[in-house]
Amino acid sequence: MIDYKDPKYTSTERANALLSLMTNEEKVGQMMQLAYKFMTREEALEWAKKGLGSYLHVLGDNADELQRTAINETRLGIPIIFGIDCIHGHALNEYATVFPTQLAMAQSFDREAMRKCGRVSATEVRCDSLHWTFSPVFCIGRDTRWGRINETFGEDPYLIGELGAAIVDGYQNNFVDNTCIMACAKHYIAYGESIGGRDAYDSMVSERMIRETFLPPFEKAAKAGCKTYMTGYQSVDGVPMNSNRRLLREVLKEEVGVDGFIITDWANVRSLIDNQKVCDNFEDASRVSIDAGNDMIMQTEEFYDATLKLIENGQVDMKHIDDSVFRILKAKFDMGLFEHPFEKPDRSKICCDEHVEVDLEVTRESMTLLKNDGILPINTKKVRKIAVIGPNADDLEAQYGDWSCGAANGHRKPATSMLKGIKKRAKKDGIEVVYKKGCDIEKPGKRGFNAAIKAAKESDLIIAVMGDYIELNGEYKSRATLDLPGEQTALLIELKKTKKPIVLVMVNGKPLCINWEAENMNAILETFNSGMVGGTVAAEILFGDVNPSGKLPISFPRTAGQVPVYYNYLPGWHGDNKYKDIEEGPLYPFGFGLSYTTFEYSNLSVSKTEFTEADGEIIVTAKIKNTGKVKGTEIAQMYIHDVVGTVMRPILELKGFERVELDAGEEKTVSFTLPVEELKVVEQNLERVLEKGDFEIMVGGSSVDLPLITTIKAV
Ligand code: NOJ
């Protein structure tokens, strides 16, 4: 007989042994997760005594008390797993490190940086007795009207998969010690395709499209060993994701073969009754949710009684219940929770110097220079007075972005607004800085204009810090217009009349339609939501201490009517991406970003010009030279184009990227590994195969600047 408490057995053996001892009540309890903040302490302790599997949004001493109850006052002593939305840092702890948002960090195109951020966040949330984050987001951000664009790694499935897998690895780190947490790949699947960019509606995508575009990032999560997956709020082709047996049980569990468990999103079971109306009672909603493949149910208390009733009446397949409980228990064993339910890393690690350094490193890579007529870096000899203007110059909350849960009011020592960062850096060169807000983000009113114009006139340079704020980003916060909100452009028009040069620093959750700004500003630096050290880093870039190296992980539309606009579209008949009334293509394309130096590409070569599936991979190399006067880092990008397919092929597909650091005049060879698997097509019959024929391989600095091209052939 295997003792489930004995660590000499494998997780699988222990989970099976424990499962065989459990009552139906204990099993259903393990399948539930409840939110602490919506109950009293007494109710929470009651649920712990019933053997609740998980709580979310409770930390520190409160979590420890629940854990003690679960271990000491339940028959089997199964530890609770505590989950949290640590989305870009542990926002619920007012001292913890706040990283840039996913969209901001995606500008780095840096897998290793993602891994390091995952490590830091995991260590810090573990200090508060938490074991699990609902991150990263693997949704594809094509429709920029959607409120949750800031949570994505942008528009490209390859980039999303690569960066997402790296952060999963950082969070989990093979559960080697008490600094590791479980990751959660969310929101399965095509949640970002919700019609019209509205949050949590129907996504009109076919299964072929899902397999070709939306599934690959989740497959990379699975390959990285991601322990959990979250079922989205949306429906796909009229079937709520939560009751979507085909996509959850058959595709994700059986085909992809995830090792771990699936948790629903918040109140998804209830939503089948209240919103999506495919069930009219909790028993039915619980039955279809279990049948579909969900293992843990987030925040639907009624699931407990309803499921026990289903079991009693033989209306649910016990095989499914046992499979779910097994998966949950195995995950708890895998992460060592039974051995170390209370163990925490050293608290002095929270926002320690080493963690701030990681944040600085990734933030330095996570800003994109969109325009520069030569005004940047700031000429500190000529510029003696700077006017910093705009509603986002001194607003940490806007800078942190969504999922920062009031972090802006926290006691984070390195927290630096754009204004603070610029002031501090300018002081080094004896430059005076004046600040005028000028206007609000959304509120109408030009009362602040005069003071801003006066300050501008008395200065040598204007740094306008503008964009949006958390009221315009996040769940339920989709937008139908994508212009700079409120009076911001009106203020810029007035500032332009002063004839002083203007650098626009964008602090925003998503691409905005900044056509006038693109035309009229001297320089534009996109920072998205850059987190805690954003102000320090923006100043370093503006003053030339750091050479910008970020590239856009998402296209900037010219107008909301052009959305979705993304680089990897399928070809059409009547002019790609064309509208009668606007210029063709996005305002700023995917992969684009300027540097203070220039790069030249040459010598493209491939390890094989003809290949078969058995070859496994192709190595693509190219030379890159820094042809400018300063050191810089280029994000070299490799794209493919499948020339003819049995189904239409995207005009371009990113399949490789590397950051290459080069001194002035230096040349290096960059090498990309192209797995043959990445060249496969999902055919009409839904099979993924390598089709014979030509593939163009292109290398360059953005999706619209690919000077090197060659052709390889699948034979
Ligand atoms: C709802 C959100 O959609 C999801 O991303 C989040 O993890 C859960 N709530 C838990 O807070």
Side-chain angles (χ1 to χ4, degrees):
M1 179 68 186
I2 287 169
D3 176 4
Y4 70 91
K5 292 204 166 136
D6 188 343
K8 83 166 181 266
Y9 296 105
T10 65
S11 299
T12 301
E13 288 167 333
R14 296 172 77 185
N16 273 323
L18 176 52
L19 185 66
S20 71
L21 304 174
M22 289 169 79
T23 63
N24 290 337
E25 284 77 5
E26 285 160 342
K27 288 179 184 174
V28 178
Q30 283 302 309
M31 290 175 73
M32 288 180 59
Q33 180 185 67
L34 294 175
Y36 186 78
K37 62 183 172 195
F38 291 115
M39 52 176 89
T40 62
R41 173 176 162 265
E42 288 67 34
E43 283 166 345
L45 289 171
E46 260 328 290
W47 274 107
K49 284 180 200 155
K50 277 192 196 173
L52 196 79
S54 176
Y55 273 102
L56 80 158
H57 300 171
V58 51
L59 62 158
D61 292 344
N62 293 337
D64 284 345
E65 184 184 28
L66 292 167
Q67 191 70 299
R68 264 196 310 281
T69 308
I71 287 168
N72 301 328
E73 298 182 40
T74 64
R75 192 173 72 93
L76 298 166
I78 304 174
I80 295 171
I81 188 153
F82 294 101
I84 188 133
D85 286 289
C86 167
I87 304 299
H88 51 115
H90 178 17
L92 282 187
N93 182 315
E94 60 183 355
Y95 295 96
T97 306
V98 184
F99 286 105
T101 51
Q102 264 194 220
L103 185 66
M105 289 204 293
Q107 296 173 100
S108 72
F109 283 63
D110 189 342
R111 301 171 183 88
E112 185 48 28
M114 295 308 104
R115 218 193 82 79
K116 286 189 192 162
C117 295
R119 286 280 59 242
V120 167
S121 293
T123 306
E124 296 194 2
V125 305
R126 232 13 241 268
C127 289
D128 278 328
S129 302
L130 308 168
H131 317 109
W132 181 14
T133 179
F134 306 119
S135 165
V137 167
F138 281 85
C139 301
I140 292 182
R142 282 180 168 176
D143 194 325
T144 47
R145 291 168 296 181
W146 186 34
R148 304 189 73 172
I149 285 291
N150 68 93
E151 293 180 57
T152 71
F153 282 121
E155 73 185 34
D156 182 66
Y158 178 81
L159 179 65
I160 294 168
E162 293 291 302
L163 299 184
I167 207 163
V168 164
D169 188 39
Y171 287 139
Q172 299 191 163
N173 202 28
N174 289 321
F175 304 110
V176 294
D177 60 20
N178 65 5
T179 67
C180 307
I181 57 173
M182 295 202 308
C184 182
K186 71 185 190 184
H187 309 80
Y188 189 80
I189 192 168
Y191 175 38
E193 292 305 288
S194 204
I195 190 165
R198 299 193 282 276
D199 196 26
Y201 280 79
D202 192 51
S203 296
M204 290 191 288
V205 290
S206 68
E207 186 174 331
R208 204 194 66 77
M209 218 169 146
I210 282 182
R211 285 171 181 276
E212 186 150 298
T213 307
F214 300 96
L215 191 59
F218 285 94
E219 289 175 312
K220 283 197 179 149
K223 217 166 149 196
C226 186
K227 272 277 167 244
T228 72
Y229 300 79
M230 189 185 289
T231 309
Y233 279 150
Q234 80 291 4
S235 49
V236 170
D237 191 18
V239 182
M241 209 48 239
N242 218 67
S243 59
N244 204 317
R245 189 178 206 282
R246 170 82 187 135
L247 293 175
L248 278 177
R249 186 174 292 284
E250 293 177 21
V251 175
L252 185 60
K253 272 188 162 165
E254 289 167 10
E255 261 183 61
V256 177
V258 298
D259 163 42
F261 67 89
I262 301 177
I263 179 160
T264 74
D265 202 343
W266 185 277
N268 268 9
V269 173
R270 176 185 301 282
S271 183
L272 294 176
I273 306 167
D274 288 356
N275 305 308
Q276 292 163 316
K277 307 217 183 277
V278 294
C279 300
D280 59 8
N281 62 73
F282 280 104
E283 275 166 54
D284 207 25
S286 303
R287 183 183 55 75
V288 298
S289 301
I290 296 165
D291 185 50
N294 296 289
D295 300 308
M296 188 177 273
I297 309 300
M298 187 193 289
Q299 194 58 11
T300 302
E301 269 190 50
E302 293 84 348
F303 177 83
Y304 188 78
D305 288 339
T307 305
L308 285 174
K309 219 162 179 186
L310 290 170
I311 296 175
E312 198 182 305
N313 298 335
Q315 287 170 316
V316 66
D317 193 340
M318 261 332 269
K319 206 171 69 223
H320 289 160
I321 301 261
D322 284 347
D323 177 55
S324 292
V325 179
F326 168 80
R327 285 169 181 269
I328 293 162
L329 295 176
K330 179 169 177 296
K332 290 184 178 183
F333 283 117
D334 280 346
M335 74 168 300
L337 212 52
F338 281 76
E339 281 65 63
H340 308 290
F342 297 105
E343 199 179 359
K344 297 171 199 143
D346 168 11
R347 271 191 89 84
S348 69
K349 283 271 174 200
I350 292 185
C351 210
C352 61
D353 291 351
E354 188 195 327
H355 289 184
V356 176
E357 199 43 51
V358 173
D359 188 21
L360 276 165
E361 266 174 43
V362 66
T363 311
R364 285 183 182 126
E365 298 178 351
S366 300
M367 294 187 183
T368 305
L369 187 61
L370 296 178
K371 180 177 180 185
N372 186 16
D373 68 358
I375 193 79
L376 292 180
I378 294 169
N379 183 335
T380 51
K381 296 217 169 63
K382 283 202 186 136
V383 174
R384 303 313 304 153
K385 187 167 177 182
I386 297 175
V388 174
I389 292 170
N392 276 347
D394 196 20
D395 189 335
L396 276 181
E397 197 176 68
Q399 186 175 310
Y400 286 7
D402 196 23
W403 290 111
S404 55
C405 314
N409 305 320
H411 306 288
R412 292 167 170 83
K413 259 203 260 140
T416 316
S417 69
M418 294 293 162
L419 177 63
K420 193 170 162 192
I422 293 166
K423 267 191 175 164
K424 200 168 161 205
R425 178 58 187 81
K427 205 170 161 199
K428 275 197 192 165
D429 284 301
I431 299 171
E432 193 188 335
V433 174
V434 287
Y435 165 61
K436 296 290 167 209
K437 188 172 174 191
C439 64
D440 281 319
I441 292 285
E442 278 197 285
K443 261 193 244 145
K446 294 188 166 62
R447 273 218 307 261
F449 276 32
N450 282 344
I453 294 163
K454 184 167 178 285
K457 281 185 180 157
E458 291 165 4
S459 301
D460 306 311
L461 174 73
I462 303 165
I463 301 179
V465 188
M466 300 193 169
D468 60 22
Y469 62 161
I470 54 174
E471 289 310 316
L472 294 173
N473 290 283
E475 279 179 58
Y476 321 103
K477 291 176 187 159
S478 298
R479 289 183 65 190
T481 58
L482 292 173
D483 301 329
L484 254 185
E487 311 275 6
Q488 297 183 90
T489 302
L491 176 56
L492 288 174
I493 291 171
E494 292 309 315
L495 293 174
K496 171 94 179 166
K497 289 181 189 160
T498 66
K499 300 216 161 44
K500 301 285 173 155
I502 312 178
V503 175
L504 174 62
V505 175
M506 293 286 293
V507 173
N508 49 327
K510 57 163 69 172
L512 298 176
C513 304
I514 46 170
N515 303 290
W516 185 88
E517 289 76 9
E519 192 90 53
N520 291 285
M521 298 293 99
N522 299 83
I524 303 178
L525 179 68
E526 178 55 81
T527 70
F528 290 118
N529 302 113
S530 52
M532 196 173 72
V533 297
T536 304
V537 170
E540 288 175 338
I541 291 178
L542 296 173
F543 284 84
D545 308 333
V546 167
N547 192 346
S549 62
K551 301 261 185 170
L552 290 181
I554 192 161
S555 308
F556 274 48
R558 294 175 189 276
T559 171
Q562 192 190 24
V563 169
V565 58
Y566 46 89
Y567 84 95
N568 48 354
Y569 58 86
L570 301 176
W573 280 28
H574 294 156
D576 301 334
N577 268 331
K578 246 189 203 150
Y579 290 88
K580 197 99 186 106
D581 48 354
I582 55 167
E583 244 179 84
E584 192 176 347
L587 179 63
Y588 292 112
F590 177 84
F592 171 77
L594 302 170
S595 163
Y596 294 149
T597 187
T598 45
F599 302 98
E600 207 173 86
Y601 286 79
S602 65
N603 287 58
L604 179 62
S605 92
V606 288
S607 59
K608 286 188 182 76
T609 48
E610 295 199 342
F611 65 98
T612 64
E613 200 166 340
D615 286 313
E617 62 190 31
I618 294 148
I619 306 296
V620 179
T621 58
K623 283 195 170 155
I624 310 180
K625 186 169 182 179
N626 179 344
T627 48
K629 293 198 176 65
V630 290
K631 180 177 170 175
T633 296
E634 167 72 330
I635 298 170
Q637 300 159 46
M638 175 189 59
Y639 294 81
I640 63 137
H641 174 223
D642 181 350
V643 180
V644 177
T646 57
V647 290
M648 281 161 59
R649 309 309 305 140
I651 62 144
L652 276 181
E653 296 173 75
L654 182 75
K655 293 294 178 190
F657 56 85
E658 296 299 331
R659 295 180 58 87
V660 189
E661 193 182 296
L662 294 162
D663 284 328
E666 195 186 3
E667 186 171 58
K668 277 186 189 161
T669 298
V670 61
S671 167
F672 309 94
T673 302
L674 174 59
V676 173
E677 199 57 37
E678 293 280 356
L679 299 174
K680 289 188 172 174
V681 176
V682 178
E683 293 188 327
Q684 286 191 51
N685 61 7
L686 303 184
E687 302 230 339
R688 200 180 277 171
V689 296
L690 178 68
E691 294 186 342
K692 292 197 171 116
D694 287 348
F695 291 85
E696 287 165 342
I697 307 289
M698 288 155 274
V699 172
S702 94
S703 64
V704 294
D705 179 17
L706 297 166
L708 308 180
I709 179 163
T710 187
T711 303
I712 58 174
K713 195 184 196 76
V715 290

